């Protein structure tokens, strides 16, 4: 039997896979978008090299991992009938992390986050009816809280269908949560809602740069169009992945929804800048919150400039994340702290080294290629 996982090639998914392989014993069945098993393994090696050396990776792929070639947006997850039957037969639980985080496209979010989630639920239902599913864990987002300002939100108060959503991503993730609870009423379900997941509290390296890039751009602006007292709920990926893996595996977790967040310990922008300054960051900052509207107009304009000007990508990311940067809303994390017996490391402790790593490597991880010798061995054999 195996834990069926979607989104294993992604930022959080690869951490969850690494955590399960390191700290738990179950087999893992991974849905990967690829044309062949070889291509799927190469895709998995990219994010997993942050956690494993190549020999260990190959060893685990053979001994603990089953790869399924598929796509969330295809009927029956794009699985061939024999793979689908084998997967249903062997699935003991599900962790659904696969998603489109594209905040601008209704179509992509609709297809991946709604149709894809429905397909994963259908597979889970078949497994449940066949032999009983131990658990279905769904990774959602704190953005399901909708447009609010200056609040501390507890899990039970997050979803209010009367509120506007930030974007198609938040809207489809919110409906995804509803599908899970409505269509799997007889299964143990857990919803995990991470806040902004950025960096690893243990080391500087990261493989995810979208939010980091927005953060670095802001950190280098001498005039910040933000309220210095506004907080941003940022949580490190190692805490998020450890919580998902541990709670998913726990026999009787106390709750069925968990915020994976910094909660009351979230830092304000002033506190973030002060913490980085203590570590050596030298750029002076002036907070001018009343410039927010003008800044938003400038960012919108810069996002439309030609790519070779070099500002459209950071501007597009800033535009996309703007509502998340100014909403000053944080997510109560008492439940996860109680369940895990630990708190996430504050962003102040690792923000500066994350910034330095991102700038030094020009916002990309220095991936090691798949060793040539192994490719030729495969081709030979
Ligand atoms: N990152 C954050 O700050 C954050 C915050 C809150 C919640 N979350 C939630 O955490 C989960 C993981 O997010 P992430 O940051 O790890 O995102 P990510 O790095 O973009 O990873 C997304 C994963 O979903 C897979 N996927 C997307 N479309 C697919 C499709 N059509 N078929 C199969 N797989 C598909 C991707 O596969 P490919 O590699 O093939 O594209 C990838 O493995 C999501 O559910 C997200 O909503 C993230």
């Amino acid at each position: 039997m195996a834990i069926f996982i979607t989104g294993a090639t992604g930022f959080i998914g690869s951490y969850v896979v690494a955590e399960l392989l390191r700290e738990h014993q179950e087999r893992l069945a991974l849905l990967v978008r690829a044309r062949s098993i070889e291509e799927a393994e190469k895709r998995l090696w990219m994010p997993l090299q942050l956690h494993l050396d190549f020999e260990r990776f190959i060893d685990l792929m053979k001994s603990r991992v089953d790869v399924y070639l598929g796509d969330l947006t295809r009927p029956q997850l794009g699985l061939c009938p024999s793979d689908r039957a084998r997967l249903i037969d062997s699935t003991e639980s599900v962790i659904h992390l696969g998603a489109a985080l594209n905040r601008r496209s209704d179509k992509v979010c609709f297809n991946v986050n709604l149709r894809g989630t429905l397909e994963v639920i259908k597979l889970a239902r078949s497994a449940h009816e066949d032999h009983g599913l131990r658990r279905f864990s769904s990774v959602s987002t704190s953005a399901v809280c909708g447009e609010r300002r200056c609040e501390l939100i507890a899990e039970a108060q997050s979803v209010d269908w009367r509120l506007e959503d930030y974007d198609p991503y938040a809207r489809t993730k919110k409906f995804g949560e509803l599908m899970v609870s409505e269509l799997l009423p007889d299964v143990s379900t857990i919803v995990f809602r991470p806040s902004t997941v950025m960096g690893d509290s243990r080391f500087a390296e990261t493989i995810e740069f979208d939010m980091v890039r927005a953060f670095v751009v802001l950190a280098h602006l001498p005039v910040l169009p933000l309220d210095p007292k506004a907080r941003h709920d940022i949580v490190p990926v190692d805490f998020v992945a450890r919580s998902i893996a541990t709670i998913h595996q726990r026999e009787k977790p106390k709750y069925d929804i968990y915020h994976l967040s910094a909660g009351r310990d979230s830092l304000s922008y002033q506190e973030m800048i002060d913490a980085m300054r203590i570590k050596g960051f030298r750029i002076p900052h002036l907070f001018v919150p009343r410039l927010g509207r003008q800044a938003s107009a400038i960012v919108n304009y810069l996002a439309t400039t030609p790519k070779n000007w070099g500002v459209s990508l950071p501007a597009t990311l800033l535009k996309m994340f703007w509502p998340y940067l100014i909403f000053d809303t944080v997510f109560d994390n008492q439940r996860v702290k109680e369940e895990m017996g630990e708190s996430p490391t504050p962003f102040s402790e690792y923000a500066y080294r994350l910034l330095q790593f991102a700038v030094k490597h020009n916002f990309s991880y220095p991936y090691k290629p798949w060793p040539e010798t192994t490719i030729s061995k495969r081709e030979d054999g």
Side-chain angles (χ1 to χ4, degrees):
M1 300 300 277
I3 307 173
F4 174 46
I5 301 178
T6 66
T9 50
F11 174 44
I12 302 177
S14 57
Y15 266 78
V16 171
V17 166
E19 181 73 20
L20 287 165
L21 290 173
R22 191 171 47 239
E23 301 293 336
H24 302 267
Q25 308 307 321
E26 278 67 25
R27 284 191 79 75
L28 307 183
L30 311 180
L31 184 81
V32 181
R33 278 200 285 191
R35 280 159 304 195
S36 65
I37 296 291
E38 286 74 16
E39 186 189 332
E41 288 182 352
K42 283 183 193 165
R43 298 212 51 222
L44 287 164
W45 163 238
M46 297 292 273
L48 283 171
Q49 60 186 254
L50 198 55
H51 312 274
L52 304 164
D53 64 29
F54 188 68
E55 283 67 35
R56 183 85 185 118
F57 169 78
I58 289 294
D59 184 39
L60 286 165
M61 291 306 291
K62 282 192 199 131
S63 58
R64 296 265 311 272
V65 176
D66 300 314
V67 170
Y68 289 86
L69 306 179
D71 187 319
L72 289 168
T73 61
R74 306 244 325 262
Q76 316 279 314
L77 296 172
L79 296 164
C80 68
S82 61
D83 272 4
R84 188 175 171 84
R86 189 160 60 94
L87 183 57
I88 290 171
D89 225 32
S90 63
T91 294
E92 69 92 36
S93 65
V94 177
I95 306 181
H96 178 37
L97 286 128
L101 283 81
N102 181 331
R103 285 160 172 83
R104 287 170 303 160
S105 169
D106 276 313
K107 187 177 76 180
V108 174
C109 288
F110 183 88
N111 278 324
V112 181
N113 302 347
L114 294 183
R115 288 181 51 237
T117 297
L118 184 60
E119 287 298 338
V120 177
I121 291 172
K122 277 162 58 185
L123 186 126
R125 275 242 64 85
S126 300
H128 192 57
E129 276 146 28
D130 183 62
H131 53 266
L133 194 68
R134 183 180 61 80
R135 175 157 300 138
F136 187 104
S137 291
S138 176
V139 180
S140 182
T141 166
S142 60
V144 299
C145 74
E147 282 198 9
R148 310 193 200 198
R149 287 294 178 98
C150 313
E151 281 186 52
L152 169 76
I153 302 178
E155 280 86 346
Q157 304 154 355
S158 273
V159 174
D160 179 342
W161 293 95
R162 294 164 304 179
L163 295 178
E164 293 294 325
D165 299 300
Y166 286 114
D167 47 35
Y169 165 68
R171 189 158 39 252
T172 50
K173 294 295 283 187
K174 186 162 84 176
F175 199 78
E177 285 192 14
L178 183 66
M179 285 198 289
V180 171
S181 69
E182 292 285 321
L183 301 177
L184 296 171
D186 48 347
V187 174
S188 159
T189 58
I190 298 183
V191 171
F192 294 104
R193 293 190 192 128
S195 54
T196 297
V197 185
M198 239 206 294
D200 188 310
S201 68
R202 302 162 302 176
F203 43 74
E205 289 86 349
T206 184
I207 55 168
E208 211 293 317
F209 292 95
D210 282 357
M211 196 66 183
V212 176
R213 199 185 275 267
F215 164 68
V216 170
V217 170
L218 284 175
H220 283 86
L221 291 179
V223 177
L224 281 169
L226 295 166
D227 178 351
K229 292 195 289 308
R231 294 152 305 162
H232 192 138
D233 195 320
I234 298 172
V235 64
V237 64
D238 49 312
F239 177 79
V240 168
R242 194 160 58 249
S243 303
I244 293 171
T246 308
I247 299 172
H248 179 81
Q249 290 297 79
R250 199 150 274 174
E251 199 184 331
K252 285 192 183 148
K254 292 198 182 75
Y255 304 100
D256 57 1
I257 306 177
Y258 292 87
H259 284 164
L260 307 180
S261 54
R264 289 172 198 276
D265 296 330
S266 300
L267 304 178
S268 68
Y269 289 114
Q270 182 72 65
E271 287 168 330
M272 286 183 210
I273 294 292
D274 290 348
M276 293 210 299
R277 199 160 285 143
I278 290 170
K279 308 258 177 190
F281 191 57
R282 288 286 161 254
I283 295 184
H285 291 91
L286 182 65
F287 285 94
V288 190
R290 66 172 185 280
L291 290 182
R293 194 166 294 193
Q294 289 91 325
S296 161
I298 293 169
V299 163
N300 286 349
Y301 166 71
L302 292 176
T304 62
T305 56
K307 268 201 181 127
N308 58 5
W309 290 15
V311 289
S312 65
L313 176 60
T316 303
L317 290 168
L318 268 181
K319 181 179 167 184
M320 203 161 78
F321 291 127
W322 196 253
Y324 296 80
L325 293 170
I326 58 169
F327 67 2
D328 189 17
T329 294
V330 300
F331 305 92
D332 188 43
N333 64 0
Q334 287 307 315
R335 286 184 180 184
V336 70
K337 283 188 346 191
E338 182 188 337
E339 187 82 54
M340 294 293 292
E342 62 169 314
S343 303
T345 304
F347 189 53
S348 52
E349 285 189 23
Y350 64 95
Y352 187 46
R353 63 170 187 254
L354 174 65
L355 176 144
Q356 284 177 305
F357 173 81
V359 171
K360 181 172 172 203
H361 294 276
N362 198 18
F363 303 98
S364 66
Y365 181 78
Y367 287 106
K368 285 179 252 158
W370 183 273
E372 286 302 323
T373 49
T374 316
I375 296 175
S376 39
K377 251 191 227 155
R378 269 175 193 288
E379 282 164 358
D380 292 349

